[in-house]
Amino acid sequence: MSALSTIRSRPEDLKRAIALRNKPYPDVDALVTLDTECRQLAGAVNALRAKRNEQAHKLADAKKAGGAVDAAVSRELGELRDTIAADEAKLQKCESERDALLLLFPQIPHPTVPVGKDGTENVVVREVPSTVRTIPEPKPHFVLGPELNILDTERGAKVSGEGFYFLVGDGARLEMALITFMRETHRKAGYTELLPPILISSASMTGTGQLPKFAEDSYKTVLDDLWLAPTAEVPLTNLYRDEVLLGTDLPLKVMAFTPCFRREAGGHGVETRGIARVHQFNKVELVNFVHPNSSYDQLETLLSEAEAIVQALGLRYRIFNLCTGDLPDKAAKCYDIELWAPGAARWLEVSSVSNFEDYQSTRAGIRYRETQAAKPEFVHTLNGSGTALPRLMVAVMETWQTSPGRIEVPPVLRPYLGGQTHLEPTPFVGERELGRGRRGWNAG
RNA sequence: GCUGAGGUAGCCUAGCCCGGGAAGGCGCCAGCCUUGAAAGCUGGUGGCGGCAACGCCACGGGAGUUCAAAUCUCCCCCUCAGCGCCA
């Protein structure tokens, strides 16, 4: 949603933005017409209510002076009430239609966003090579992981279904090390760490733009109006929903490590092999509440904060400036960071760094006041993955195969793994493994 | 889950029993005063519409009664306390 005032004052800008996005959206003129209608209705209702109030006050004054209530006036006011009620119903219908329509409109892309029809026209900002000497033919994680028994997708599918997995032994420890490494890095960059709720109300899901459009992408609980957070962006951004922040609070930087849940309906095939696309994953998320004047400077800072992670791990990566045709509705500008997975020979999106401007703050009512006497203004919200774990794990496992069948621990992570230099295999457990020529270390 | 007490502007509070233009304080802003500041005094400090004067809306949300609802009735949400259950 762009703010209603933008649509009123600059409908042409919105039209142009929509055209650039190369996707179908509701008609801007229809919205403007609807809005005009609402305002006319509001004016009419307003006048009627003024008349009613004036009469009712006279009646109240008369009664206070000791007189009786005039039956004729009373009846007249009763009729007026019914007229007003009918008009109010029309107004309410008009406004709810307008507001529902408004929620469907995308944010206006920033001038520095390249124009393009779809993802193929995203612009590479930079590509950075790996600093790791990987063996000639590294195995993909979905081969190496099960071989070392640090990743178990079969039992994940048994327990929860397709798209769920277990990390085992040093696999789990590597992920926890990455998480702690990222949390510490971001903390040093000035982030306040939060452990947020991950069951989310519909109001909060609407506030960040997950609803109404992406309801089918999220999991919802059966007995309560609660959704499983698809990203920590939702609780983090809603932290200050319906609040007025102080000008001196900004920029406000918060982060959280949480599991994320996505239905990923319809996403099957080669790309889902392994853990590159799953229903539940962990992520460290960064959210910034920023003064509108500095949100684009802050976007670059945020990008560098996410980039610092992949850089420290020596991974090959590239950064895209998403073109208008690929830009998410809620974003005015968005960078994607992709990691190279040498085993699977694929690029994997591991972080999305966006400036939403006031898209979320208008929906969620997050404002700030420059001074106590000033009017509250909407903040700009930014977020960035810092970063998503499964794809980071994939890139680390595949890149750090410095000897055949072995995974080295990146030096920056060793403090979090007791100084360990390589991941150790986990013993196999159970009779099912015997048939595959595998057996646990304790067997026989 | 049960019982009770609550939810009023950025914050704190009065009004509710007994229906009739939401009072006051704090904080903040401006003006006056002052060499400057503080204190003091005056005014302003929720949203929408309007150039304006002004009008309307807003007392957790929704419905109802009534000429008229912060106030009465019903439903729902949330907070706190006690009890119950529970990792």
Side-chain angles (χ1 to χ4, degrees):
Chain A
M1 172 178 68
S2 303
L4 197 51
S5 60
T6 308
I7 285 158
R8 283 171 187 167
S9 58
R10 304 185 294 145
E12 297 309 315
D13 286 0
L14 187 63
K15 277 188 200 172
R16 216 173 312 124
I18 282 173
L20 290 177
R21 281 174 176 273
N22 198 30
K23 284 189 209 107
Y25 292 101
D27 183 24
V28 174
D29 290 330
L31 179 62
V32 173
T33 306
L34 196 55
D35 180 47
T36 307
E37 193 187 320
C38 287
R39 296 169 85 177
Q40 279 167 355
L41 278 169
V45 167
N46 201 344
L48 284 176
R49 284 198 286 225
K51 191 172 159 195
R52 177 204 56 196
N53 287 349
E54 193 192 339
Q55 297 282 36
H57 292 150
K58 270 187 201 161
L59 201 144
D61 288 343
K63 195 179 172 191
K64 227 181 276 177
V69 172
D70 185 330
V73 175
S74 176
R75 191 168 52 246
E76 199 178 310
L77 275 168
E79 285 162 13
L80 191 54
R81 173 196 58 201
D82 295 339
T83 311
I84 290 171
D87 284 5
E88 277 176 340
K90 272 189 232 163
L91 177 62
Q92 205 168 19
K93 183 164 171 279
C94 187
E95 284 180 340
S96 61
E97 276 172 23
R98 179 195 65 193
D99 295 344
L101 196 58
L102 203 51
L103 289 179
L104 301 177
F105 282 94
Q107 186 64 285
I108 293 173
H110 191 258
T112 56
V113 172
V115 174
K117 66 176 190 316
D118 58 31
T120 61
E121 295 187 27
N122 292 337
V123 171
V124 177
V125 177
R126 58 180 165 272
E127 180 171 340
V128 178
S130 172
T131 57
V132 184
R133 278 169 62 100
T134 302
I135 57 168
E137 286 183 12
K139 293 178 177 176
H141 73 284
F142 47 79
V143 171
L144 191 57
E147 273 179 15
L148 295 174
N149 195 24
I150 56 176
L151 169 66
D152 190 340
T153 51
E154 288 180 26
R155 288 189 175 108
K158 175 177 70 180
V159 169
S160 298
E162 169 277 323
F164 294 90
Y165 61 97
F166 284 88
L167 288 172
V168 185
D170 276 4
R173 292 178 67 229
L174 176 64
E175 176 146 326
M176 293 308 290
L178 282 166
I179 290 163
T180 305
F181 165 66
M182 292 193 282
R183 289 170 46 236
E184 284 301 295
T185 303
H186 298 316
R187 184 180 61 78
K188 287 171 191 159
Y191 281 86
T192 300
E193 182 164 31
L194 300 167
L195 273 173
I198 52 177
L199 283 176
I200 307 291
S201 71
S202 290
S204 293
M205 290 285 278
T206 305
T208 35
Q210 273 69 32
L211 296 179
K213 226 183 151 179
F214 300 108
E216 68 281 3
D217 291 338
S218 296
Y219 291 98
K220 189 171 191 295
T221 60
V222 174
L223 297 178
D224 299 284
D225 180 29
L226 290 171
W227 303 74
L228 275 68
T231 160
E233 168 196 336
V234 182
L236 290 186
T237 306
N238 279 286
L239 177 66
Y240 298 117
R241 178 155 54 88
D242 296 326
E243 290 198 42
V244 179
L245 305 174
L246 302 171
T248 51
D249 290 335
L250 307 178
L252 204 52
K253 296 163 74 173
V254 295
M255 67 158 159
F257 150 69
T258 66
C260 304
F261 303 90
R262 298 188 183 176
R263 291 187 64 234
E264 303 286 3
H268 301 283
V270 178
E271 297 212 337
T272 61
R273 182 134 187 232
I275 57 171
R277 190 178 164 101
V278 289
H279 293 308
Q280 178 189 331
F281 61 94
N282 294 316
K283 182 156 59 72
V284 174
E285 183 76 2
L286 309 172
V287 168
N288 292 185
F289 301 89
V290 185
H291 192 286
N293 289 344
S294 58
S295 66
Y296 281 92
D297 289 341
Q298 191 62 37
L299 180 66
E300 298 303 316
T301 304
L302 184 56
L303 176 64
S304 69
E305 286 164 353
E307 192 178 354
I309 300 297
V310 295
Q311 218 162 43
L313 293 166
L315 305 173
R316 179 183 173 194
Y317 67 93
R318 60 185 186 180
I319 297 173
F320 285 101
N321 184 358
L322 298 195
C323 75
T324 51
D326 201 32
L327 194 65
D329 276 6
K330 58 186 175 177
K333 184 172 183 178
C334 178
Y335 293 111
D336 271 2
I337 302 178
E338 292 189 350
L339 293 180
W340 177 248
R346 283 179 58 201
W347 288 101
L348 299 170
E349 184 193 325
V350 77
S351 177
S352 219
V353 178
S354 311
N355 187 354
F356 302 126
E357 297 190 358
D358 64 359
Y359 185 90
Q360 295 180 326
S361 59
T362 51
R363 289 170 165 236
I366 308 169
R367 298 177 295 171
Y368 74 99
R369 223 194 283 265
E370 198 65 72
T371 64
Q372 284 268 282
K375 285 186 78 138
E377 308 280 353
F378 290 106
V379 301
H380 281 190
T381 61
L382 282 67
N383 82 32
S385 340
T387 66
L389 266 304
R391 292 172 182 176
L392 186 61
M393 285 284 285
V394 167
V396 168
M397 286 167 68
E398 295 187 4
T399 302
W400 284 86
Q401 289 179 65
T402 53
S403 51
R406 279 184 57 83
I407 298 171
E408 192 178 333
V409 176
V412 291
L413 297 182
R414 290 178 193 171
Y416 306 109
L417 282 165
Q420 210 170 310
T421 60
H422 289 78
L423 297 189
E424 298 300 334
T426 318
F428 289 98
V429 171
E431 287 189 344
R432 57 181 277 179
E433 306 297 345
L434 292 174
R436 305 174 190 190
R438 294 165 171 171
R439 43 198 278 252
W441 287 356
N442 295 331

